[in-house]
Amino acid sequence: MKSNKSLVKIILGITILILLALILFLGLKSSQKVKIAFYNVSEKSQNAIVSQLKKNVKTLQLDSSKSLSEQKALLRNCSLIVFSDNIEAKMLLEGNQKEKGLAKELDLSFLEGFPSSIQNSLLIRTNKKGKEYIKLLPILYDFYEIDVNRDFYQQSGMEAINTWEDLIETAYREKDFTKSAMLIPLSKDSDFLNSMGIISEALCGYQAYNQMLEDFSAIQYGQYGKTKDRKEEIQKALEKYSAKDQCLKITAKELEGLLRSGIVSKDSLQLSTQDILFLMDNDLCGIAFTSLSDHRKLSKDTSKHITSIYCPSKDFTPERSFASQSISISLLKDNKKSKEIIKKLSADNQNTLSTLSGLAPVQKNCAVADHQADDVRFWLAASKGPVMPFANVFSSDSERKLAADFLRDLISLEAK
């Protein structure tokens, strides 16, 4: 009997040792995985990215309703972060004059295969050793575009849409046989601000638009005036660019005229992006301001007779800067595995990544699934490069509301 009890104890002890060894093994294996944080990235894009990394990563989903700075502590155990580029995230990761920034340096070899226009749009710095580096690397681009219903366009009798005037003339002609000749998403603050920015660049030129972005971005980076109050500085910047002959004034006046004439449907003031996609799917809209990612949500039947174009400028010119949402990656821990993942996402697997996400690749020579993504890649490469959408130069919803309400009032004043 005693020998049986001893045997049971031995077996139990061996079992416990095996379990402990298994737990240790699994723990070590788990610790070898690279942890990636995702911030404000769509589920479709996130799934596309994770699918390329198989089982070699762990993911952390950050709260997109909170600022990245509020979740800074959660990044301590992460090696990488993938995020939708905005001024608040850029400031935290790249740093400013006072702070170094959370992201580690990436040498410029990671830009191999990128069009020069994209390379030139990035913040390239030089370290103490004289070596150039970046901290934010784009891996995909969404694009703010215009979708044109070809059936209605052919009925309009227009031969081409090369300039802003051509676009407005097309919509004017379509008023007689469409429910909504032109729709621009204006109900949501961020959509409204982005639409104002897109039209500002088209009417006033890329230099004026880029300067406006720089001025608003400088406020976020703490380069205040005498007040040292960010909202007061935003108010001053809005007043500056809403003065006579300034780009926001010109855009507000143009938009007010289009709304008053009915060329742009007044429904735009209440419609969400989803509402606009519904109208497009049911052939109730001739022209719509949208994005590449939203275009992907259209039904297959609708997509067959929709042509996507970039927003045309006042005068036909290749000197453009197109508002595009960048999905970027930053290195938080400097190790070999993390850098291998960055290379895989930014170079090796660009074709599959673009296909699965529906967005445009950053590599200039990789294969693409369709002409939609290829067109965006070409437009970005042939222009002065991508720029941040206007809504993204504000750090919070309250700041975006402040700016949107100010500009909505400006449009109302134009109507008097």
Side-chain angles (χ1 to χ4, degrees):
M1 182 69 75
K2 288 183 178 180
S3 62
N4 287 340
K5 288 183 177 179
S6 297
L7 182 61
V8 169
K9 288 181 179 179
I10 291 170
I11 293 172
L12 182 61
I14 292 172
T15 303
I16 292 172
L17 288 173
I18 291 173
L19 288 173
L20 289 173
L22 182 61
I23 291 170
L24 179 62
F25 172 75
L26 292 174
L28 289 172
K29 188 174 181 181
S30 175
S31 66
Q32 292 173 352
K33 290 184 177 181
V34 175
K35 191 171 184 180
I36 304 178
F38 284 89
Y39 179 64
N40 202 23
V41 177
S42 72
E43 183 180 359
K44 184 177 182 181
S45 295
Q46 182 171 327
N47 289 340
I49 291 167
V50 173
S51 72
Q52 301 309 294
L53 306 177
K54 298 180 180 179
K55 298 180 180 180
N56 300 323
V57 299
K58 294 189 295 182
T59 61
L60 171 65
Q61 184 66 55
L62 297 175
D63 189 345
S64 60
S65 68
K66 297 180 180 179
S67 70
L68 190 58
S69 298
E70 291 178 278
Q71 303 171 84
K72 182 178 177 180
L74 297 175
L75 299 177
R76 289 173 184 168
N77 296 321
C78 296
S79 297
L80 297 164
I81 180 170
V82 178
F83 59 100
S84 289
D85 200 357
N86 61 53
I87 196 67
E88 193 268 340
K90 281 174 68 71
M91 186 165 58
L92 180 66
L93 295 168
E94 284 188 325
N96 55 23
Q97 294 176 341
K98 298 179 181 179
E99 298 181 9
K100 185 178 180 181
L102 296 182
K104 305 299 183 183
E105 296 178 9
L106 288 171
D107 65 66
L108 300 194
S109 66
F110 285 95
L111 295 178
E112 185 177 353
F114 281 44
S116 59
S117 60
I118 291 180
Q119 294 190 38
N120 294 336
S121 71
L122 303 176
L123 177 59
I124 298 176
R125 292 169 168 162
T126 304
N127 61 22
K128 293 180 180 179
K129 296 180 180 179
K131 191 174 182 180
E132 291 184 316
Y133 68 90
I134 54 173
K135 286 194 171 186
L136 273 63
L137 183 71
I139 56 175
L140 291 167
Y141 276 108
D142 203 350
F143 185 84
Y144 288 93
E145 60 191 33
I146 296 175
D147 277 358
V148 178
N149 184 309
R150 286 198 302 276
D151 295 338
F152 293 145
Y153 172 71
Q154 289 170 1
Q155 289 183 56
S156 75
M158 290 291 293
E159 295 182 359
I161 300 178
N162 294 322
T163 65
W164 179 260
E165 186 176 339
D166 292 337
L167 180 71
I168 302 308
E169 175 67 19
T170 301
Y172 177 76
R173 294 187 185 189
E174 291 181 6
K175 280 176 59 180
D176 293 336
F177 49 85
T178 58
K179 182 182 185 300
S180 300
M182 181 185 288
L183 288 173
I184 303 176
L186 300 175
S187 62
K188 186 178 176 182
D189 289 340
S190 57
D191 290 338
F192 175 78
L193 291 170
N194 287 338
S195 298
M196 288 288 290
I198 292 163
I199 298 172
S200 291
E201 190 277 338
L203 297 181
C204 305
Y206 82 94
Q207 292 174 318
Y209 180 67
N210 288 358
Q211 184 60 59
M212 181 173 72
L213 290 185
E214 287 183 17
D215 286 353
F216 278 97
S217 296
I219 295 170
Q220 306 300 336
Y221 278 92
Q223 298 171 22
Y224 303 126
K226 294 180 180 180
T227 63
K228 295 186 178 181
D229 181 278
R230 197 156 70 197
K231 288 194 175 182
E232 283 191 43
E233 292 300 315
I234 290 173
Q235 182 78 19
K236 287 182 178 181
L238 288 167
E239 290 170 357
K240 171 184 174 181
Y241 283 100
S242 299
K244 185 179 180 181
D245 298 329
Q246 293 295 312
C247 55
L248 291 180
K249 178 77 168 183
I250 291 169
T251 303
K253 186 175 182 179
E254 178 74 7
L255 189 52
E256 188 280 323
L258 294 174
L259 286 165
R260 186 171 54 186
S261 68
I263 291 174
V264 171
S265 173
K266 290 185 179 179
D267 291 342
S268 291
L269 298 171
Q270 286 82 38
L271 296 179
S272 67
T273 298
Q274 292 303 315
D275 294 329
I276 292 176
L277 293 175
F278 174 83
L279 292 171
M280 293 173 66
D281 266 334
N282 288 277
D283 289 333
L284 298 173
C285 172
I287 298 169
F289 280 60
T290 183
S291 65
L292 176 60
S293 58
D294 285 330
H295 173 90
R296 299 297 192 189
K297 298 173 186 176
L298 293 171
S299 69
K300 290 184 178 179
D301 288 340
T302 300
S303 298
K304 291 176 182 177
H305 61 266
I306 294 289
T307 295
S308 298
I309 63 174
Y310 58 80
C311 182
S313 54
K314 182 178 180 181
D315 300 307
F316 184 69
T317 174
E319 302 289 300
R320 304 292 305 279
S321 286
F322 294 120
S324 305
Q325 181 62 65
S326 165
I327 306 298
S328 299
I329 190 166
S330 283
L331 182 69
L332 298 177
K333 290 185 179 180
D334 194 346
N335 56 63
K336 184 179 179 181
K337 285 188 177 181
S338 296
K339 289 183 176 179
E340 287 174 350
I341 288 174
I342 292 177
K343 185 176 183 298
K344 186 174 288 187
L345 296 177
S346 64
D348 301 343
N349 291 27
Q350 276 277 289
N351 174 26
T352 308
L353 193 59
S354 172
T355 301
L356 294 177
S357 67
L359 303 181
V362 292
Q363 285 290 324
K364 59 185 177 184
N365 292 323
C366 75
V368 287
D370 60 20
H371 70 88
Q372 296 287 339
D374 198 29
D375 284 347
V376 170
R377 176 171 61 179
F378 173 77
W379 293 332
L380 291 178
S383 70
K384 292 293 184 180
V387 290
M388 187 176 287
F390 188 37
N392 288 15
V393 299
F394 303 99
S395 289
S396 64
D397 287 341
S398 63
E399 290 183 1
R400 279 183 280 274
K401 179 173 173 52
L402 184 157
D405 286 348
F406 179 94
L407 294 174
R408 287 189 180 106
D409 288 343
L410 184 65
I411 292 171
S412 298
L413 289 172
E414 293 291 347
K416 295 180 181 178

